[in-house]
């Protein structure tokens, strides 16, 4: 009789044990999922931190590069002349020494002049600034480059100055325009600019290609204003 009374309790204990055994893998699975969720969240946070770090680095690099182009046109090979020497006997070009260049669709209010009188790069920029309130020309597409080349093909020189020049320091050296506009187009001759010499950019009157040139070279030039 006592054995019969104990039998239900024994069965109840066995069933409870089986439930605990069946629940154990489920609990372990929940714990594993929780751990994986924490790892995933941690991984996402690390990715976000890494992305932010990359953005900060890129922003700092762009700031350094931008500052290199925004600096005044000085402390470069192109400023081989003493600033006082630029003012000595300064004269604006005579009308017979300039030729109007067809404008660019990018800037319908801009004017462009070819100055036939040869000057160094710094002297040419000085003329564009003081006589016309502008800069040496910047070129941002092939069509306008072709217009400049067609106009300059009549001068008795193989090259003319445009507004490109190499600025910056050490690894941050890059080509910039004297008017501060974005350098988004180039039309270099084969082997240029890597094999070129000089920090200033000249446009070839035949073919319209660009070459690096010594900034103290005297060439005709194109102003934009």
């Amino acid at each position: 009789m006592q054995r019969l009374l104990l039998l239900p309790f024994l069965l109840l204990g066995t069933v409870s044990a089986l439930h605990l055994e069946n629940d154990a893998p489920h609990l372990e699975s929940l714990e594993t999922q929780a751990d994986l969720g924490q790892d995933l969240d941690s991984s996402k946070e690390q990715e976000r931190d890494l992305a932010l770090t990359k953005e900060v680095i890129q922003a700092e690099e762009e700031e350094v590069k931008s500052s290199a182009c925004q600096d005044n046109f000085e402390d470069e090979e192109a400023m081989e002349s003493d600033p006082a020497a630029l003012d000595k006997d300064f004269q604006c070009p005579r009308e017979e020494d300039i030729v109007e260049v067809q404008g660019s669709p990018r800037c319908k209010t801009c004017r462009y002049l070819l100055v036939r009188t040869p000057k160094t790069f710094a002297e040419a920029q000085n003329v564009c600034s003081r006589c016309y309130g502008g800069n040496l020309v910047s070129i941002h597409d092939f069509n306008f480059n072709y217009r400049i080349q067609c106009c300059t093909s009549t001068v008795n020189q193989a090259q003319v100055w445009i507004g490109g020049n190499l600025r910056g320091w050490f690894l941050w050296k890059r080509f910039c325009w004297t008017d501060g506009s974005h350098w988004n187009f180039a039309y270099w001759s084969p082997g240029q600019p890597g094999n070129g010499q000089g920090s200033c950019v000249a446009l070839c009157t035949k073919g319209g290609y660009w070459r690096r040139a010594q900034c103290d070279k005297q060439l005709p030039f194109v102003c934009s204003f």
Side-chain angles (χ1 to χ4, degrees):
M1 185 68 177
Q2 292 179 349
R3 291 180 179 179
L4 291 174
L5 291 173
L6 291 172
L7 184 58
F9 291 103
L10 292 172
L11 290 174
L12 181 60
T14 303
V15 170
S16 299
L18 288 173
H19 276 294
L20 288 173
E21 289 178 0
N22 290 333
D23 288 342
H26 178 65
L27 292 173
E28 291 178 359
S29 175
L30 289 175
E31 291 177 356
T32 303
Q33 290 178 2
D35 291 340
L36 289 173
Q38 290 178 354
D39 291 343
L40 184 60
D41 291 341
S42 177
S43 177
K44 288 181 178 178
E45 288 180 4
Q46 290 177 355
E47 288 179 359
R48 285 195 294 268
D49 291 343
L50 182 60
L52 286 172
T53 302
K54 287 182 178 179
E55 289 178 3
V56 170
I57 292 174
Q58 290 175 352
E60 289 176 349
E61 289 178 351
E62 288 300 321
E63 185 177 350
V64 171
K65 291 178 180 179
S66 177
S67 66
C69 280
Q70 291 174 354
D71 285 343
N72 291 331
F73 184 58
E74 59 186 11
D75 297 329
E76 294 289 339
E77 176 192 354
M79 285 298 291
E80 80 292 334
S81 302
D82 189 310
L86 294 177
D87 293 331
K88 185 179 180 181
D89 300 326
F90 178 84
Q91 290 182 342
C92 289
R94 299 172 300 177
E95 284 198 22
E96 57 265 33
D97 293 329
I98 60 176
V99 177
E100 187 103 20
V101 180
Q102 185 179 359
S104 168
R106 292 175 61 95
C107 182
K108 295 181 179 179
T109 60
C110 297
R111 293 183 61 193
Y112 305 92
L113 294 178
L114 166 65
V115 181
R116 298 175 181 271
T117 309
K119 301 283 185 183
T120 68
F121 189 91
E123 291 170 345
Q125 172 63 19
N126 193 39
V127 168
C128 293
S129 176
R130 295 182 59 180
C131 297
Y132 309 113
N135 294 276
L136 285 168
V137 67
S138 60
I139 301 175
H140 300 279
D141 58 64
F142 175 80
N143 289 335
F144 187 53
N145 191 79
Y146 180 70
R147 291 184 184 185
I148 297 294
Q149 185 259 319
C150 289
C151 178
T152 59
S153 61
T154 59
V155 301
N156 191 26
Q157 290 270 4
Q159 298 174 335
V160 296
W161 288 129
I162 57 177
N165 62 100
L166 190 62
R167 300 191 198 177
W169 312 273
F170 193 48
L171 296 177
W172 301 114
K173 277 186 173 290
R174 63 185 304 207
F175 285 97
C176 304
W177 296 112
T178 55
D179 63 7
S181 59
H182 185 51
W183 186 277
N184 56 0
F185 172 79
Y187 198 56
W188 296 107
S189 295
Q192 296 282 325
N195 295 330
Q197 295 182 348
S199 296
C200 296
V201 181
L203 180 144
C204 298
T205 55
K206 291 185 178 180
Y209 291 103
W210 303 357
R211 300 186 67 87
R212 290 173 61 178
Q214 299 293 341
C215 299
D216 58 356
K217 190 174 183 178
Q218 294 199 346
L219 296 173
F221 53 96
V222 179
C223 295
S224 65
F225 57 97

